[in-house]
């Protein structure tokens, strides 16, 4: 019989014993485990043995074949041509073949190695490999999609293995067979096992930095591969505005709009949500519909590129470009008016324009509403976008105080508007309430309290002012309702009587102010009517 050297064994075959967890076995003398697998040759099935021990000679080896879930030995095989090497060391890594194997049924069986069987120095190495008892195996590989792409970053690889039954010569599914796989491009390998139908399924996931990938499957001397090409989809960019040479004031914001689409695997054009670069330091995210809208702040004359951020899923489209003319500092605020409401809300109105030159349609600039307390410094209370050539109305999120300075400022154009002092006198509803807080229906309750105004740092009575009485019933969904009003006396006090009708909350409010005073309201007071 023929001796097989390790060099003759195909490099694609990887021993199951080195890759699949097997029961522990005594290897003898600290030697590594020998390796076994299946050899198909001339229409017959053999066990193949690779000698990995210096503790015993291949002539002393018997291969024991049994089912994976049963230790009953179905075949005992000796090795051929073991006399070709003189001692164990000389045989190291040499490969030998057993005699032909006959087993009860087609399937995958376990090979144990026994050296010097029955002797006191017997060595047993269990589960050293698998004998795949089937002729002419054929593996068919398919994938859920023929290529890797943005539409298909995850694929399912399906394998179907059939073989000829050595006993009946019927071609049928080869169940329970393990095969080694690898995909070197994505640094993955391992083992897959066929099910009762001779099939297996494997998930494969990829990312934008992946490349063409080949999955290789090897069992015994069989080898099949499935190539998955990496496909870059065509990316398209359409910019609606701006284009050509754009003239705009320094610090203005020029609208930039467009749409990003891709040619999907099915050939249709679809929108893409992705990051779009505007110039060297601006970005915007396109929406699920592929459209994007942002603004480019004018600071200098230059050529500006608009292009989607790089992604290896797609081919890069040609960027859209426009040219900014050297800007002039011509922005101005006109017709600016400021006022503060009785509820301390500061509102500015005005118009944004230029002293000379022009601006593109839709150009805007960011405007800050600044505040400076007495003896303090300017700080922004919030910003809004104002359109060139249009009037604006904007309010500050900060409430006004007694008399601070306020102004508008064009943030990017470095233009400060004139400052204006805004503020009213504070008022306070104090010592207020409704008594008694527990009464019978039809009884009288009295709403009373006082009203003061602040002059400088001193609080003084504020007489001759109307105070309104509001009530909200305790029933669910009730709304506030005004029940009546009264005027404050010279000492600022007030009172008014009402007939108690139902449970509810009362509140006293001073809202009839002139332009020099803020409004105020008292606490909410609950009255229980029995």
């Amino acid at each position: 019989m023929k001796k097989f050297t390790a060099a003759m064994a195909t490099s694609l075959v990887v021993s199951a014993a080195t890759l699949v967890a097997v029961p522990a076995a005594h290897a003898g003398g600290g030697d590594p485990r020998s390796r076994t697998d299946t050899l198909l040759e001339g229409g017959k099935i053999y066990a193949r043995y690779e000698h990995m021990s210096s503790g015993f000679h291949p002539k002393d080896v018997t291969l024991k074949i049994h089912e994976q879930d049963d230790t009953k030995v179905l075949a005992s095989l000796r090795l051929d041509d073991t006399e070709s090497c003189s001692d164990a060391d000389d045989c190291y890594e040499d490969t030998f073949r057993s005699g032909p194997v006959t087993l009860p049924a087609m399937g995958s069986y376990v090979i144990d190695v026994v050296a010097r069987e029955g002797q006191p120095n017997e060595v047993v190495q269990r589960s050293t490999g698998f004998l795949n008892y089937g002729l002419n195996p054929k593996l068919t590989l398919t994938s859920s999609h023929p290529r890797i792409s943005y539409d298909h970053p995850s694929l399912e690889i399906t394998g179907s293995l059939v073989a000829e039954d050595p006993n009946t010569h019927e071609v049928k599914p080869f169940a329970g067979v393990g095969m080694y796989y690898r995909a070197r491009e994505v640094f993955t390998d391992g083992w897959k096992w066929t099910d009762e139908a001779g099939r297996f399924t494997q998930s494969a996931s990829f990312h934008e930095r992946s490349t063409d990938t080949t999955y290789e499957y090897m069992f015994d001397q069989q080898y099949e591969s499935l190539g998955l090409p990496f496909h870059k989809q065509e990316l398209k960019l359409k910019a609606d505005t701006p284009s050509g040479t754009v003239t705009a004031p320094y610090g203005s914001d020029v609208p930039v709009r467009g749409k990003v689409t891709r040619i999907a695997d099915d050939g249709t054009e679809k929108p893409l949500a992705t990051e779009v670069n505007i110039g060297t330091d601006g970005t915007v995210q396109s929406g699920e519909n592929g459209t994007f809208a942002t603004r480019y702040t004018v600071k200098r004359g230059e050529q500006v590129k608009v292009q989607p951020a790089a992604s290896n899923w797609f081919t890069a489209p040609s960027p859209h470009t426009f040219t900014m003319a050297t800007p002039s500092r011509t922005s101005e605020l006109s017709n600016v008016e400021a006022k503060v409401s009785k509820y301390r809300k500061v509102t500015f109105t005005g118009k944004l324009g230029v002293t000379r030159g022009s601006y593109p349609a839709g150009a805007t600039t960011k405007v800050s509403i600044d505040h400076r307390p007495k003896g303090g410094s300017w700080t922004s209370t919030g910003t809004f976008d104002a359109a060139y050539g249009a009037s604006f109305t904007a309010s500050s999120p900060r409430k006004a105080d007694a008399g601070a300075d306020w102004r508008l400022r064009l943030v990017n154009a470095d233009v400060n508007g004139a400052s204006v002092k805004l503020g009213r006198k504070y008022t306070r509803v104090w010592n207020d309430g409704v008594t008694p807080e527990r009464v019978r229906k039809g009884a009288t309750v009295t709403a009373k309290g006082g009203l003061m105004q602040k002059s400088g740092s001193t609080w003084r009575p504020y007489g001759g002012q109307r105070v309104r009485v509001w009530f909200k019933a305790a029933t669910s969904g009730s709304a506030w309702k005004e029940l009546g009003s009264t005027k404050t006396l010279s000492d600022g006090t007030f009172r008014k009587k009402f007939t108690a009708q139902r449970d509810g909350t009362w509140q006293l409010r001073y809202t009839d102010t002139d332009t020099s005073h803020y409004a105020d309201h008292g606490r909410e007071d609950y009255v229980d009517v029995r």
Side-chain angles (χ1 to χ4, degrees), residues 118-162:
Q119 300 180 31
N121 57 348
E122 178 184 87
V123 176
V124 177
Q125 296 179 347
R126 300 196 182 280
S127 302
T128 59
F130 295 93
L131 184 81
N132 295 320
Y133 191 64
L135 292 172
N136 302 318
K138 180 177 177 56
L139 175 64
T140 303
L141 298 173
T142 59
S143 66
S144 56
H145 196 267
R147 57 188 180 181
I148 306 162
S149 70
Y150 177 80
D151 286 326
H152 298 92
S154 296
L155 303 174
E156 291 287 330
I157 299 172
T158 301
S160 179
L161 181 64
V162 298

Side-chain angles (χ1 to χ4, degrees), residues 94-107:
D94 281 355
T95 303
F96 301 87
R97 190 181 74 181
S98 73
V101 182
T102 300
L103 293 169
M106 177 173 153

Side-chain angles (χ1 to χ4, degrees), residues 1-78:
M1 300 301 289
K2 185 178 181 182
K3 169 187 171 182
F4 296 87
T5 66
M8 293 173 60
T10 174
S11 62
L12 293 176
V13 177
V14 180
S15 170
T18 64
L19 295 173
V20 177
V22 293
H26 172 56
D31 284 342
R33 291 159 54 85
S34 299
R35 295 193 289 243
T36 58
D37 62 5
T38 308
L39 176 65
L40 299 177
E41 189 174 74
K44 295 182 178 181
I45 302 171
Y46 305 86
R48 184 166 54 179
Y49 167 84
E50 184 179 4
H51 188 63
M52 300 294 291
S53 175
S54 60
F56 54 85
H57 193 280
K59 68 181 180 181
D60 299 324
V61 170
T62 303
L63 303 181
K64 303 290 186 177
I65 313 299
H66 60 85
E67 293 183 355
Q68 296 187 34
D69 56 357
D70 191 346
T71 59
K72 179 182 177 181
V73 176
L74 301 175
S76 294
L77 308 172
R78 300 288 291 177

